[in-house]
Amino acid sequence: MSTTLPILYSFRRCPYAMRARLAITIAGRKVEIREVVLKDKPAELLEISPKGTVPVLWQNNGDLLEESLDIMLWAAGNHAIWQSLDEQQRKETLILIEENDVSFKQILDRYKYADRYPEHSAEYYREQGEKFLTKLEQRLSQQLSLMTDSLTLVDFAVLPFIRQFALVDWDWFSQADYPKLQNWLNGYLQSDLFEKIMHKYPQWQAGDEVTVFPATP
Protein backbone atom coordinates (compact mmCIF):
# COMPACT_ATOMS: atom_id res chain seq x y z
CA MET A 1 0.00 0.00 0.00
CA SER A 2 2.27 2.72 -1.26
CA THR A 3 -0.28 5.53 -1.52
CA THR A 4 -0.14 8.30 1.07
CA LEU A 5 -3.90 8.78 0.81
CA PRO A 6 -6.33 6.89 3.02
CA ILE A 7 -7.70 3.89 1.13
CA LEU A 8 -11.46 3.46 0.85
CA TYR A 9 -12.77 0.04 -0.14
CA SER A 10 -16.20 0.72 -1.57
CA PHE A 11 -19.05 -0.76 -3.58
CA ARG A 12 -20.95 1.74 -5.69
CA ARG A 13 -24.52 0.68 -4.88
CA CYS A 14 -24.08 -0.19 -1.21
CA PRO A 15 -25.97 2.41 0.87
CA TYR A 16 -23.37 2.25 3.63
CA ALA A 17 -20.58 2.94 1.16
CA MET A 18 -22.67 5.66 -0.46
CA ARG A 19 -23.00 7.58 2.77
CA ALA A 20 -19.28 7.24 3.47
CA ARG A 21 -18.54 8.69 0.03
CA LEU A 22 -21.04 11.48 0.68
CA ALA A 23 -19.29 12.59 3.85
CA ILE A 24 -15.86 12.35 2.23
CA THR A 25 -17.01 14.49 -0.69
CA ILE A 26 -18.84 17.09 1.36
CA ALA A 27 -15.93 17.51 3.75
CA GLY A 28 -13.45 17.96 0.90
CA ARG A 29 -11.43 14.88 1.79
CA LYS A 30 -9.44 12.87 -0.72
CA VAL A 31 -9.01 9.10 -0.62
CA GLU A 32 -7.80 6.35 -2.86
CA ILE A 33 -10.93 4.48 -3.88
CA ARG A 34 -10.90 0.75 -4.53
CA GLU A 35 -14.13 -0.52 -6.04
CA VAL A 36 -14.96 -3.98 -4.72
CA VAL A 37 -17.00 -6.68 -6.43
CA LEU A 38 -18.69 -8.43 -3.53
CA LYS A 39 -18.47 -11.86 -5.15
CA ASP A 40 -14.76 -11.39 -5.80
CA LYS A 41 -13.35 -9.53 -2.79
CA PRO A 42 -9.67 -8.65 -3.01
CA ALA A 43 -7.24 -10.39 -0.68
CA GLU A 44 -5.95 -6.98 0.41
CA LEU A 45 -9.37 -6.10 1.84
CA LEU A 46 -9.81 -9.44 3.62
CA GLU A 47 -6.31 -9.16 5.07
CA ILE A 48 -7.07 -5.92 6.89
CA SER A 49 -10.78 -6.59 7.49
CA PRO A 50 -11.66 -10.29 7.51
CA LYS A 51 -15.39 -9.63 7.79
CA GLY A 52 -15.19 -8.49 4.18
CA THR A 53 -17.91 -5.84 4.24
CA VAL A 54 -17.70 -2.34 2.77
CA PRO A 55 -16.99 0.43 3.31
CA VAL A 56 -13.61 0.07 4.96
CA LEU A 57 -11.13 2.92 5.36
CA TRP A 58 -7.45 2.15 5.91
CA GLN A 59 -5.01 4.92 6.79
CA ASN A 60 -1.26 4.72 6.28
CA ASN A 61 -0.71 5.07 10.04
CA GLY A 62 -2.41 1.71 10.41
CA ASP A 63 -5.75 3.01 11.66
CA LEU A 64 -8.72 1.09 10.30
CA LEU A 65 -12.38 2.14 10.19
CA GLU A 66 -14.82 -0.65 9.39
CA GLU A 67 -18.16 1.06 10.01
CA SER A 68 -19.70 3.60 7.66
CA LEU A 69 -20.76 5.96 10.46
CA ASP A 70 -17.21 6.00 11.82
CA ILE A 71 -15.96 6.89 8.34
CA MET A 72 -18.54 9.66 8.10
CA LEU A 73 -17.46 11.11 11.44
CA TRP A 74 -13.78 10.81 10.46
CA ALA A 75 -14.44 12.63 7.19
CA ALA A 76 -16.82 15.31 8.40
CA GLY A 77 -16.12 15.54 12.12
CA ASN A 78 -14.69 19.05 11.69
CA HIS A 79 -17.19 20.08 9.00
CA ALA A 80 -20.39 22.08 9.48
CA ILE A 81 -22.61 19.05 8.84
CA TRP A 82 -21.48 17.84 12.28
CA GLN A 83 -19.85 20.85 13.97
CA SER A 84 -22.94 23.04 13.51
CA LEU A 85 -25.03 20.72 15.70
CA ASP A 86 -25.34 21.26 19.43
CA GLU A 87 -25.05 18.42 21.95
CA GLN A 88 -28.77 17.60 21.90
CA GLN A 89 -28.91 17.61 18.12
CA ARG A 90 -25.93 15.27 17.98
CA LYS A 91 -27.68 12.87 20.34
CA GLU A 92 -30.83 13.00 18.22
CA THR A 93 -28.73 12.48 15.11
CA LEU A 94 -27.17 9.29 16.44
CA ILE A 95 -30.53 7.98 17.70
CA LEU A 96 -32.15 8.55 14.31
CA ILE A 97 -29.25 6.92 12.48
CA GLU A 98 -29.44 3.91 14.79
CA GLU A 99 -33.17 3.55 14.06
CA ASN A 100 -32.39 3.73 10.35
CA ASP A 101 -29.57 1.20 10.59
CA VAL A 102 -31.34 -1.33 12.79
CA SER A 103 -35.13 -1.47 12.60
CA PHE A 104 -35.71 0.36 9.30
CA LYS A 105 -32.91 -1.47 7.47
CA GLN A 106 -34.36 -4.81 8.58
CA ILE A 107 -37.77 -3.82 7.23
CA LEU A 108 -36.20 -2.44 4.05
CA ASP A 109 -34.50 -5.76 3.34
CA ARG A 110 -37.79 -7.62 3.79
CA TYR A 111 -39.66 -5.18 1.61
CA LYS A 112 -37.02 -5.25 -1.12
CA TYR A 113 -36.69 -9.04 -1.08
CA ALA A 114 -40.21 -9.99 0.02
CA ASP A 115 -40.02 -13.33 -1.80
CA ARG A 116 -37.29 -14.38 0.64
CA TYR A 117 -39.51 -13.51 3.61
CA PRO A 118 -42.87 -15.13 2.77
CA GLU A 119 -44.16 -14.73 6.33
CA HIS A 120 -45.73 -11.46 5.17
CA SER A 121 -46.48 -9.64 1.94
CA ALA A 122 -44.41 -6.84 0.44
CA GLU A 123 -47.29 -4.49 1.26
CA TYR A 124 -47.07 -5.47 4.92
CA TYR A 125 -43.34 -4.77 5.04
CA ARG A 126 -43.91 -1.47 3.26
CA GLU A 127 -46.48 -0.46 5.86
CA GLN A 128 -44.00 -1.25 8.61
CA GLY A 129 -41.38 0.88 6.88
CA GLU A 130 -43.83 3.73 6.58
CA LYS A 131 -43.57 4.30 10.31
CA PHE A 132 -40.05 5.60 9.74
CA LEU A 133 -41.08 7.51 6.62
CA THR A 134 -43.80 9.23 8.65
CA LYS A 135 -41.28 10.25 11.30
CA LEU A 136 -39.03 11.77 8.64
CA GLU A 137 -41.97 13.53 6.97
CA GLN A 138 -42.91 15.09 10.30
CA ARG A 139 -39.37 16.35 10.81
CA LEU A 140 -39.25 17.79 7.30
CA SER A 141 -42.55 19.55 7.94
CA GLN A 142 -40.86 21.47 10.75
CA GLN A 143 -37.62 22.38 8.97
CA LEU A 144 -35.97 22.01 5.58
CA SER A 145 -33.81 19.03 6.59
CA LEU A 146 -33.96 16.31 9.22
CA MET A 147 -32.20 18.17 12.02
CA THR A 148 -32.01 21.83 10.97
CA ASP A 149 -32.80 23.93 7.90
CA SER A 150 -29.47 22.80 6.45
CA LEU A 151 -28.43 19.31 5.45
CA THR A 152 -26.40 17.73 8.24
CA LEU A 153 -24.79 14.37 8.92
CA VAL A 154 -28.09 12.61 9.61
CA ASP A 155 -29.53 13.54 6.20
CA PHE A 156 -26.56 12.06 4.38
CA ALA A 157 -26.56 8.97 6.61
CA VAL A 158 -30.23 8.22 5.92
CA LEU A 159 -30.65 9.32 2.30
CA PRO A 160 -29.22 6.20 0.59
CA PHE A 161 -31.61 3.96 2.52
CA ILE A 162 -34.68 6.04 1.72
CA ARG A 163 -33.57 5.93 -1.90
CA GLN A 164 -33.50 2.13 -1.75
CA PHE A 165 -36.92 2.01 -0.14
CA ALA A 166 -38.39 4.35 -2.76
CA LEU A 167 -36.88 2.39 -5.66
CA VAL A 168 -38.61 -0.83 -4.64
CA ASP A 169 -41.82 0.69 -6.05
CA TRP A 170 -41.13 4.18 -7.33
CA ASP A 171 -44.67 4.64 -8.65
CA TRP A 172 -46.08 3.99 -5.19
CA PHE A 173 -43.53 6.21 -3.45
CA SER A 174 -43.96 9.13 -5.84
CA GLN A 175 -47.73 9.13 -5.22
CA ALA A 176 -47.67 8.44 -1.48
CA ASP A 177 -48.55 11.17 1.01
CA TYR A 178 -44.97 12.17 1.80
CA PRO A 179 -44.51 15.44 -0.13
CA LYS A 180 -41.71 16.78 2.05
CA LEU A 181 -39.80 13.50 1.98
CA GLN A 182 -40.23 13.23 -1.79
CA ASN A 183 -38.83 16.73 -2.30
CA TRP A 184 -35.96 16.01 0.08
CA LEU A 185 -35.05 12.79 -1.74
CA ASN A 186 -35.51 14.19 -5.24
CA GLY A 187 -33.34 17.19 -4.42
CA TYR A 188 -30.56 14.76 -3.53
CA LEU A 189 -31.07 12.50 -6.54
CA GLN A 190 -30.95 15.45 -8.93
CA SER A 191 -27.86 17.03 -7.37
CA ASP A 192 -24.32 17.19 -8.69
CA LEU A 193 -23.28 15.64 -5.37
CA PHE A 194 -25.23 12.46 -6.08
CA GLU A 195 -23.79 12.25 -9.59
CA LYS A 196 -20.29 12.67 -8.19
CA ILE A 197 -20.55 9.96 -5.53
CA MET A 198 -22.18 7.52 -7.97
CA HIS A 199 -19.39 7.74 -10.55
CA LYS A 200 -18.66 4.25 -11.90
CA TYR A 201 -15.21 2.86 -11.19
CA PRO A 202 -13.89 -0.44 -12.54
CA GLN A 203 -13.21 -3.30 -10.16
CA TRP A 204 -9.95 -2.67 -8.37
CA GLN A 205 -7.14 -5.13 -8.93
CA ALA A 206 -3.76 -5.29 -7.19
CA GLY A 207 -1.24 -3.33 -9.23
CA ASP A 208 -3.78 -0.84 -10.58
CA GLU A 209 -2.85 2.81 -10.62
CA VAL A 210 -4.18 4.91 -7.73
CA THR A 211 -7.66 6.30 -8.36
CA VAL A 212 -8.41 9.41 -6.32
CA PHE A 213 -11.93 10.05 -5.01
CA PRO A 214 -13.66 12.37 -5.51
CA ALA A 215 -12.43 12.70 -9.04
CA THR A 216 -11.08 16.11 -10.04
CA PRO A 217 -13.55 17.80 -12.46
Side-chain angles (χ1 to χ4, degrees):
M1 297 183 180
S2 59
T3 180
T4 59
L5 290 173
I7 296 171
L8 178 72
Y9 288 91
S10 181
F11 173 58
R12 180 174 177 269
R13 292 185 288 108
C14 170
Y16 296 102
M18 287 170 65
R19 72 185 187 186
R21 298 196 306 271
L22 280 166
I24 288 167
T25 303
I26 292 159
R29 295 274 197 164
K30 293 287 186 182
V31 299
E32 175 187 345
I33 192 166
R34 295 182 175 181
E35 180 70 10
V36 173
V37 173
L38 299 182
K39 294 180 180 180
D40 184 22
K41 297 171 185 175
E44 290 80 0
L45 169 61
L46 296 175
E47 180 181 347
I48 62 171
S49 182
K51 65 190 182 77
T53 59
V54 292
V56 166
L57 184 84
W58 183 89
Q59 301 178 68
N60 58 9
N61 64 1
D63 287 349
L64 182 70
L65 299 177
E66 299 180 274
E67 299 295 337
S68 60
L69 181 55
D70 290 338
I71 297 173
M72 292 189 80
L73 289 169
W74 166 84
N78 293 321
H79 190 273
I81 65 170
W82 181 248
Q83 284 297 322
S84 64
L85 301 176
D86 61 31
E87 183 177 355
Q88 181 58 36
Q89 289 170 329
R90 291 183 183 188
K91 287 180 180 178
E92 290 181 30
T93 288
L94 296 177
I95 289 170
L96 197 60
I97 292 174
E98 182 177 17
E99 183 175 355
N100 175 84
D101 291 5
V102 180
S103 58
F104 180 69
K105 180 60 166 63
Q106 185 180 70
I107 293 165
L108 169 58
D109 289 343
R110 283 158 173 73
Y111 176 41
K112 187 176 180 180
Y113 304 109
D115 57 330
R116 302 180 190 176
Y117 302 94
E119 299 85 355
H120 298 287
S121 66
E123 290 74 17
Y124 171 86
Y125 294 126
R126 184 172 69 201
E127 289 173 2
Q128 296 303 302
E130 284 191 82
K131 297 175 184 178
F132 190 59
L133 301 193
T134 298
K135 178 178 290 190
L136 301 186
E137 179 73 17
Q138 290 171 346
R139 282 184 165 272
L140 293 168
S141 297
Q142 298 169 4
Q143 63 236 348
L144 296 178
S145 300
L146 292 179
M147 197 59 57
T148 69
D149 280 334
S150 300
L151 291 168
T152 63
L153 190 102
V154 65
D155 296 275
F156 298 112
V158 171
L159 271 163
F161 298 87
I162 301 304
R163 171 182 176 269
Q164 270 199 350
F165 193 92
L167 288 176
V168 175
D169 187 342
W170 184 261
D171 288 340
W172 171 85
F173 179 79
S174 62
Q175 298 174 33
D177 191 21
Y178 302 109
K180 302 293 186 182
L181 189 64
Q182 290 156 354
N183 288 338
W184 173 84
L185 178 62
N186 284 326
Y188 162 64
L189 295 180
Q190 296 166 11
S191 68
D192 292 340
L193 174 63
F194 178 68
E195 182 178 357
K196 184 176 291 188
I197 70 119
M198 293 302 286
H199 180 82
K200 290 185 178 180
Y201 295 94
Q203 178 185 4
W204 179 81
Q205 303 280 357
D208 285 352
E209 291 186 6
V210 170
T211 300
V212 177
F213 174 86
T216 303

mmCIF file of all heavy atoms in Angstrom, residues 95-125:
data_model
loop_
_atom_site.group_PDB
_atom_site.id
_atom_site.type_symbol
_atom_site.label_atom_id
_atom_site.label_comp_id
_atom_site.label_asym_id
_atom_site.label_seq_id
_atom_site.Cartn_x
_atom_site.Cartn_y
_atom_site.Cartn_z
ATOM 1 N N ILE A 95 -29.347 8.809 17.433
ATOM 2 C CA ILE A 95 -30.529 7.985 17.697
ATOM 3 C C ILE A 95 -31.274 7.697 16.395
ATOM 4 O O ILE A 95 -31.695 6.560 16.131
ATOM 5 C CB ILE A 95 -31.454 8.675 18.722
ATOM 6 C CG1 ILE A 95 -30.814 8.660 20.105
ATOM 7 C CG2 ILE A 95 -32.822 7.991 18.764
ATOM 8 C CD1 ILE A 95 -31.533 9.520 21.126
ATOM 9 N N LEU A 96 -31.434 8.723 15.569
ATOM 10 C CA LEU A 96 -32.154 8.553 14.305
ATOM 11 C C LEU A 96 -31.375 7.646 13.356
ATOM 12 O O LEU A 96 -31.960 6.800 12.661
ATOM 13 C CB LEU A 96 -32.409 9.912 13.662
ATOM 14 C CG LEU A 96 -33.472 9.975 12.560
ATOM 15 C CD1 LEU A 96 -34.828 9.528 13.089
ATOM 16 C CD2 LEU A 96 -33.576 11.391 11.999
ATOM 17 N N ILE A 97 -30.069 7.790 13.327
ATOM 18 C CA ILE A 97 -29.245 6.921 12.479
ATOM 19 C C ILE A 97 -29.330 5.474 12.958
ATOM 20 O O ILE A 97 -29.426 4.545 12.148
ATOM 21 C CB ILE A 97 -27.785 7.410 12.452
ATOM 22 C CG1 ILE A 97 -27.686 8.755 11.720
ATOM 23 C CG2 ILE A 97 -26.882 6.371 11.768
ATOM 24 C CD1 ILE A 97 -26.314 9.384 11.776
ATOM 25 N N GLU A 98 -29.324 5.269 14.265
ATOM 26 C CA GLU A 98 -29.444 3.906 14.790
ATOM 27 C C GLU A 98 -30.790 3.292 14.403
ATOM 28 O O GLU A 98 -30.863 2.116 14.030
ATOM 29 C CB GLU A 98 -29.291 3.909 16.312
ATOM 30 C CG GLU A 98 -29.350 2.503 16.902
ATOM 31 C CD GLU A 98 -29.124 2.481 18.401
ATOM 32 O OE1 GLU A 98 -29.233 3.542 19.045
ATOM 33 O OE2 GLU A 98 -28.835 1.390 18.936
ATOM 34 N N GLU A 99 -31.861 4.069 14.477
ATOM 35 C CA GLU A 99 -33.170 3.553 14.065
ATOM 36 C C GLU A 99 -33.158 3.183 12.587
ATOM 37 O O GLU A 99 -33.695 2.155 12.177
ATOM 38 C CB GLU A 99 -34.263 4.591 14.336
ATOM 39 C CG GLU A 99 -35.654 4.099 13.989
ATOM 40 C CD GLU A 99 -36.757 5.075 14.358
ATOM 41 O OE1 GLU A 99 -36.451 6.119 14.980
ATOM 42 O OE2 GLU A 99 -37.921 4.800 14.013
ATOM 43 N N ASN A 100 -32.525 4.025 11.778
ATOM 44 C CA ASN A 100 -32.389 3.729 10.349
ATOM 45 C C ASN A 100 -31.602 2.434 10.136
ATOM 46 O O ASN A 100 -32.006 1.573 9.349
ATOM 47 C CB ASN A 100 -31.680 4.884 9.656
ATOM 48 C CG ASN A 100 -31.385 4.609 8.193
ATOM 49 O OD1 ASN A 100 -32.219 4.791 7.322
ATOM 50 N ND2 ASN A 100 -30.171 4.156 7.908
ATOM 51 N N ASP A 101 -30.493 2.303 10.838
ATOM 52 C CA ASP A 101 -29.570 1.199 10.590
ATOM 53 C C ASP A 101 -30.061 -0.133 11.138
ATOM 54 O O ASP A 101 -29.648 -1.191 10.641
ATOM 55 C CB ASP A 101 -28.202 1.510 11.206
ATOM 56 C CG ASP A 101 -27.472 2.636 10.480
ATOM 57 O OD1 ASP A 101 -28.068 3.244 9.558
ATOM 58 O OD2 ASP A 101 -26.321 2.922 10.835
ATOM 59 N N VAL A 102 -30.900 -0.089 12.149
ATOM 60 C CA VAL A 102 -31.341 -1.330 12.794
ATOM 61 C C VAL A 102 -32.758 -1.708 12.340
ATOM 62 O O VAL A 102 -32.939 -2.556 11.476
ATOM 63 C CB VAL A 102 -31.244 -1.215 14.330
ATOM 64 C CG1 VAL A 102 -31.711 -2.516 14.988
ATOM 65 C CG2 VAL A 102 -29.816 -0.899 14.754
ATOM 66 N N SER A 103 -33.753 -1.045 12.872
ATOM 67 C CA SER A 103 -35.127 -1.475 12.596
ATOM 68 C C SER A 103 -35.561 -1.173 11.161
ATOM 69 O O SER A 103 -36.136 -2.039 10.481
ATOM 70 C CB SER A 103 -36.101 -0.837 13.595
ATOM 71 O OG SER A 103 -36.027 0.573 13.558
ATOM 72 N N PHE A 104 -35.266 0.034 10.661
ATOM 73 C CA PHE A 104 -35.706 0.356 9.302
ATOM 74 C C PHE A 104 -34.962 -0.474 8.268
ATOM 75 O O PHE A 104 -35.568 -0.954 7.297
ATOM 76 C CB PHE A 104 -35.519 1.848 9.017
ATOM 77 C CG PHE A 104 -35.960 2.244 7.628
ATOM 78 C CD1 PHE A 104 -37.306 2.236 7.280
ATOM 79 C CD2 PHE A 104 -35.031 2.611 6.666
ATOM 80 C CE1 PHE A 104 -37.719 2.584 5.993
ATOM 81 C CE2 PHE A 104 -35.431 2.963 5.379
ATOM 82 C CZ PHE A 104 -36.781 2.952 5.052
ATOM 83 N N LYS A 105 -33.678 -0.669 8.442
ATOM 84 C CA LYS A 105 -32.908 -1.472 7.473
ATOM 85 C C LYS A 105 -33.421 -2.902 7.422
ATOM 86 O O LYS A 105 -33.489 -3.511 6.343
ATOM 87 C CB LYS A 105 -31.425 -1.466 7.863
ATOM 88 C CG LYS A 105 -30.520 -2.284 6.927
ATOM 89 C CD LYS A 105 -30.577 -1.776 5.497
ATOM 90 C CE LYS A 105 -29.447 -2.327 4.623
ATOM 91 N NZ LYS A 105 -29.492 -3.775 4.460
ATOM 92 N N GLN A 106 -33.801 -3.448 8.559
ATOM 93 C CA GLN A 106 -34.359 -4.808 8.578
ATOM 94 C C GLN A 106 -35.660 -4.867 7.781
ATOM 95 O O GLN A 106 -35.880 -5.786 6.985
ATOM 96 C CB GLN A 106 -34.597 -5.250 10.021
ATOM 97 C CG GLN A 106 -35.069 -6.683 10.156
ATOM 98 C CD GLN A 106 -35.297 -7.063 11.601
ATOM 99 O OE1 GLN A 106 -36.239 -6.592 12.236
ATOM 100 N NE2 GLN A 106 -34.428 -7.898 12.122
ATOM 101 N N ILE A 107 -36.503 -3.870 7.976
ATOM 102 C CA ILE A 107 -37.766 -3.815 7.233
ATOM 103 C C ILE A 107 -37.498 -3.599 5.749
ATOM 104 O O ILE A 107 -38.129 -4.222 4.885
ATOM 105 C CB ILE A 107 -38.663 -2.704 7.797
ATOM 106 C CG1 ILE A 107 -39.118 -3.064 9.215
ATOM 107 C CG2 ILE A 107 -39.867 -2.459 6.897
ATOM 108 C CD1 ILE A 107 -39.695 -1.898 9.990
ATOM 109 N N LEU A 108 -36.565 -2.711 5.436
ATOM 110 C CA LEU A 108 -36.205 -2.438 4.047
ATOM 111 C C LEU A 108 -35.779 -3.714 3.325
ATOM 112 O O LEU A 108 -36.213 -3.975 2.196
ATOM 113 C CB LEU A 108 -35.080 -1.404 4.010
ATOM 114 C CG LEU A 108 -34.368 -1.170 2.674
ATOM 115 C CD1 LEU A 108 -35.344 -0.734 1.593
ATOM 116 C CD2 LEU A 108 -33.254 -0.134 2.842
ATOM 117 N N ASP A 109 -34.948 -4.513 3.957
ATOM 118 C CA ASP A 109 -34.503 -5.757 3.342
ATOM 119 C C ASP A 109 -35.673 -6.691 3.061
ATOM 120 O O ASP A 109 -35.713 -7.354 2.008
ATOM 121 C CB ASP A 109 -33.484 -6.459 4.249
ATOM 122 C CG ASP A 109 -32.146 -5.744 4.291
ATOM 123 O OD1 ASP A 109 -31.891 -4.903 3.401
ATOM 124 O OD2 ASP A 109 -31.366 -6.008 5.222
ATOM 125 N N ARG A 110 -36.624 -6.752 3.971
ATOM 126 C CA ARG A 110 -37.791 -7.620 3.792
ATOM 127 C C ARG A 110 -38.729 -7.090 2.714
ATOM 128 O O ARG A 110 -39.313 -7.866 1.953
ATOM 129 C CB ARG A 110 -38.520 -7.798 5.124
ATOM 130 C CG ARG A 110 -37.797 -8.785 6.033
ATOM 131 C CD ARG A 110 -38.138 -8.617 7.499
ATOM 132 N NE ARG A 110 -37.539 -9.686 8.294
ATOM 133 C CZ ARG A 110 -36.243 -9.782 8.584
ATOM 134 N NH1 ARG A 110 -35.410 -8.865 8.140
ATOM 135 N NH2 ARG A 110 -35.783 -10.784 9.316
ATOM 136 N N TYR A 111 -38.836 -5.793 2.647
ATOM 137 C CA TYR A 111 -39.662 -5.177 1.606
ATOM 138 C C TYR A 111 -39.019 -5.367 0.233
ATOM 139 O O TYR A 111 -39.681 -5.749 -0.734
ATOM 140 C CB TYR A 111 -39.830 -3.694 1.932
ATOM 141 C CG TYR A 111 -40.581 -2.874 0.910
ATOM 142 C CD1 TYR A 111 -41.719 -3.361 0.263
ATOM 143 C CD2 TYR A 111 -40.151 -1.575 0.602
ATOM 144 C CE1 TYR A 111 -42.410 -2.586 -0.664
ATOM 145 C CE2 TYR A 111 -40.839 -0.795 -0.322
ATOM 146 C CZ TYR A 111 -41.960 -1.302 -0.950
ATOM 147 O OH TYR A 111 -42.641 -0.529 -1.862
ATOM 148 N N LYS A 112 -37.735 -5.149 0.152
ATOM 149 C CA LYS A 112 -37.023 -5.252 -1.124
ATOM 150 C C LYS A 112 -36.960 -6.687 -1.630
ATOM 151 O O LYS A 112 -37.045 -6.939 -2.836
ATOM 152 C CB LYS A 112 -35.606 -4.691 -0.956
ATOM 153 C CG LYS A 112 -34.811 -4.577 -2.246
ATOM 154 C CD LYS A 112 -33.458 -3.913 -1.990
ATOM 155 C CE LYS A 112 -32.647 -3.797 -3.275
ATOM 156 N NZ LYS A 112 -31.324 -3.150 -3.028
ATOM 157 N N TYR A 113 -36.806 -7.621 -0.709
ATOM 158 C CA TYR A 113 -36.691 -9.042 -1.079
ATOM 159 C C TYR A 113 -37.826 -9.834 -0.435
ATOM 160 O O TYR A 113 -37.598 -10.845 0.236
ATOM 161 C CB TYR A 113 -35.345 -9.591 -0.623
ATOM 162 C CG TYR A 113 -34.161 -8.811 -1.150
ATOM 163 C CD1 TYR A 113 -33.396 -8.009 -0.305
ATOM 164 C CD2 TYR A 113 -33.798 -8.871 -2.500
ATOM 165 C CE1 TYR A 113 -32.307 -7.293 -0.780
ATOM 166 C CE2 TYR A 113 -32.716 -8.147 -2.985
ATOM 167 C CZ TYR A 113 -31.976 -7.365 -2.121
ATOM 168 O OH TYR A 113 -30.914 -6.657 -2.595
ATOM 169 N N ALA A 114 -39.053 -9.394 -0.663
ATOM 170 C CA ALA A 114 -40.211 -9.986 0.016
ATOM 171 C C ALA A 114 -40.362 -11.472 -0.291
ATOM 172 O O ALA A 114 -40.873 -12.231 0.552
ATOM 173 C CB ALA A 114 -41.479 -9.227 -0.374
ATOM 174 N N ASP A 115 -39.901 -11.908 -1.462
ATOM 175 C CA ASP A 115 -40.017 -13.331 -1.805
ATOM 176 C C ASP A 115 -39.150 -14.207 -0.906
ATOM 177 O O ASP A 115 -39.412 -15.407 -0.762
ATOM 178 C CB ASP A 115 -39.651 -13.556 -3.271
ATOM 179 C CG ASP A 115 -38.262 -13.060 -3.624
ATOM 180 O OD1 ASP A 115 -37.794 -12.081 -2.991
ATOM 181 O OD2 ASP A 115 -37.618 -13.647 -4.515
ATOM 182 N N ARG A 116 -38.139 -13.623 -0.281
ATOM 183 C CA ARG A 116 -37.286 -14.376 0.644
ATOM 184 C C ARG A 116 -37.882 -14.417 2.058
ATOM 185 O O ARG A 116 -37.397 -15.162 2.907
ATOM 186 C CB ARG A 116 -35.893 -13.744 0.715
ATOM 187 C CG ARG A 116 -35.176 -13.652 -0.625
ATOM 188 C CD ARG A 116 -33.809 -13.007 -0.454
ATOM 189 N NE ARG A 116 -33.173 -12.682 -1.719
ATOM 190 C CZ ARG A 116 -32.011 -12.044 -1.833
ATOM 191 N NH1 ARG A 116 -31.361 -11.675 -0.732
ATOM 192 N NH2 ARG A 116 -31.501 -11.762 -3.018
ATOM 193 N N TYR A 117 -38.880 -13.591 2.285
ATOM 194 C CA TYR A 117 -39.509 -13.506 3.611
ATOM 195 C C TYR A 117 -41.017 -13.678 3.451
ATOM 196 O O TYR A 117 -41.801 -12.745 3.642
ATOM 197 C CB TYR A 117 -39.189 -12.158 4.263
ATOM 198 C CG TYR A 117 -37.711 -11.903 4.428
ATOM 199 C CD1 TYR A 117 -36.987 -11.185 3.471
ATOM 200 C CD2 TYR A 117 -37.020 -12.395 5.547
ATOM 201 C CE1 TYR A 117 -35.623 -10.956 3.620
ATOM 202 C CE2 TYR A 117 -35.661 -12.170 5.695
ATOM 203 C CZ TYR A 117 -34.974 -11.448 4.727
ATOM 204 O OH TYR A 117 -33.628 -11.219 4.882
ATOM 205 N N PRO A 118 -41.449 -14.897 3.105
ATOM 206 C CA PRO A 118 -42.865 -15.126 2.770
ATOM 207 C C PRO A 118 -43.810 -15.079 3.965
ATOM 208 O O PRO A 118 -45.017 -15.266 3.795
ATOM 209 C CB PRO A 118 -42.829 -16.529 2.153
ATOM 210 C CG PRO A 118 -41.651 -17.194 2.795
ATOM 211 C CD PRO A 118 -40.629 -16.113 2.969
ATOM 212 N N GLU A 119 -43.281 -14.823 5.166
ATOM 213 C CA GLU A 119 -44.160 -14.727 6.331
ATOM 214 C C GLU A 119 -45.205 -13.623 6.160
ATOM 215 O O GLU A 119 -46.312 -13.702 6.688
ATOM 216 C CB GLU A 119 -43.343 -14.456 7.594
ATOM 217 C CG GLU A 119 -42.331 -15.533 7.951
ATOM 218 C CD GLU A 119 -41.005 -15.359 7.241
ATOM 219 O OE1 GLU A 119 -40.885 -14.439 6.382
ATOM 220 O OE2 GLU A 119 -40.079 -16.140 7.514
ATOM 221 N N HIS A 120 -44.813 -12.577 5.408
ATOM 222 C CA HIS A 120 -45.729 -11.464 5.168
ATOM 223 C C HIS A 120 -45.577 -10.995 3.728
ATOM 224 O O HIS A 120 -44.623 -11.355 3.024
ATOM 225 C CB HIS A 120 -45.427 -10.302 6.123
ATOM 226 C CG HIS A 120 -45.602 -10.641 7.571
ATOM 227 N ND1 HIS A 120 -46.836 -10.814 8.153
ATOM 228 C CD2 HIS A 120 -44.678 -10.846 8.552
ATOM 229 C CE1 HIS A 120 -46.678 -11.096 9.435
ATOM 230 N NE2 HIS A 120 -45.387 -11.136 9.700
ATOM 231 N N SER A 121 -46.507 -10.180 3.289
ATOM 232 C CA SER A 121 -46.479 -9.644 1.937
ATOM 233 C C SER A 121 -45.568 -8.421 1.861
ATOM 234 O O SER A 121 -45.225 -7.810 2.882
ATOM 235 C CB SER A 121 -47.888 -9.228 1.503
ATOM 236 O OG SER A 121 -48.349 -8.139 2.302
ATOM 237 N N ALA A 122 -45.203 -8.047 0.630
ATOM 238 C CA ALA A 122 -44.410 -6.837 0.438
ATOM 239 C C ALA A 122 -45.162 -5.613 0.962
ATOM 240 O O ALA A 122 -44.555 -4.695 1.536
ATOM 241 C CB ALA A 122 -44.087 -6.663 -1.041
ATOM 242 N N GLU A 123 -46.486 -5.616 0.792
ATOM 243 C CA GLU A 123 -47.286 -4.488 1.262
ATOM 244 C C GLU A 123 -47.212 -4.361 2.784
ATOM 245 O O GLU A 123 -47.166 -3.245 3.322
ATOM 246 C CB GLU A 123 -48.744 -4.646 0.823
ATOM 247 C CG GLU A 123 -48.979 -4.464 -0.671
ATOM 248 C CD GLU A 123 -48.495 -5.643 -1.504
ATOM 249 O OE1 GLU A 123 -48.265 -6.754 -0.933
ATOM 250 O OE2 GLU A 123 -48.309 -5.462 -2.729
ATOM 251 N N TYR A 124 -47.195 -5.502 3.458
ATOM 252 C CA TYR A 124 -47.071 -5.474 4.924
ATOM 253 C C TYR A 124 -45.735 -4.859 5.331
ATOM 254 O O TYR A 124 -45.686 -3.993 6.205
ATOM 255 C CB TYR A 124 -47.183 -6.893 5.486
ATOM 256 C CG TYR A 124 -46.864 -6.985 6.960
ATOM 257 C CD1 TYR A 124 -47.833 -6.746 7.920
ATOM 258 C CD2 TYR A 124 -45.577 -7.301 7.400
ATOM 259 C CE1 TYR A 124 -47.550 -6.813 9.280
ATOM 260 C CE2 TYR A 124 -45.269 -7.365 8.754
ATOM 261 C CZ TYR A 124 -46.262 -7.121 9.671
ATOM 262 O OH TYR A 124 -45.969 -7.176 11.021
ATOM 263 N N TYR A 125 -44.657 -5.311 4.696
ATOM 264 C CA TYR A 125 -43.336 -4.771 5.039
ATOM 265 C C TYR A 125 -43.263 -3.283 4.711
ATOM 266 O O TYR A 125 -42.655 -2.504 5.455
ATOM 267 C CB TYR A 125 -42.250 -5.541 4.298
ATOM 268 C CG TYR A 125 -42.136 -6.996 4.727
ATOM 269 C CD1 TYR A 125 -42.209 -8.027 3.795
ATOM 270 C CD2 TYR A 125 -41.970 -7.324 6.070
ATOM 271 C CE1 TYR A 125 -42.107 -9.361 4.193
ATOM 272 C CE2 TYR A 125 -41.872 -8.657 6.480
ATOM 273 C CZ TYR A 125 -41.944 -9.666 5.524
ATOM 274 O OH TYR A 125 -41.853 -10.975 5.929
#
